[in-house]
Amino acid sequence: MLYTYTNIAAAGYEDSAASARALQDAVQALTNDPSPEALQAAKEVWLKHRHFRGMLVKECVAVPRPGITC
């Protein structure tokens, strides 16, 4: 059972890291070319990937662990 929770947590953090990289790339593109198109692209990436952080926080709050802060 612990192995399953570990896999679920690892997958969640991997997805979150990929989302953060996608958002970072979109913001960098917007910084390099501050145009309405780049802004729209950054908004779309943010809308697509914003849920991962919320999912991780919900999991951390639902299953508190001593010594681990969210």
Side-chain angles (χ1 to χ4, degrees):
M1 184 182 238
L2 180 60
Y3 181 75
T4 301
Y5 287 129
T6 303
N7 287 342
I8 292 169
Y13 282 106
E14 288 170 7
D15 288 345
S16 183
S19 290
R21 284 189 294 273
L23 184 56
Q24 183 178 23
D25 291 345
V27 170
Q28 186 63 50
L30 176 60
T31 302
N32 293 340
D33 175 27
S35 65
E37 295 81 11
L39 176 59
Q40 184 60 37
K43 285 180 182 179
E44 290 173 9
V45 170
W46 178 76
L47 287 170
K48 179 179 177 185
H49 295 283
R50 67 185 173 155
H51 70 282
F52 284 112
R53 174 69 183 147
M55 288 171 34
L56 292 174
V57 169
K58 286 178 190 173
E59 172 64 21
C60 193
V61 171
V63 185
R65 292 160 189 89
I68 298 177
T69 58
C70 300

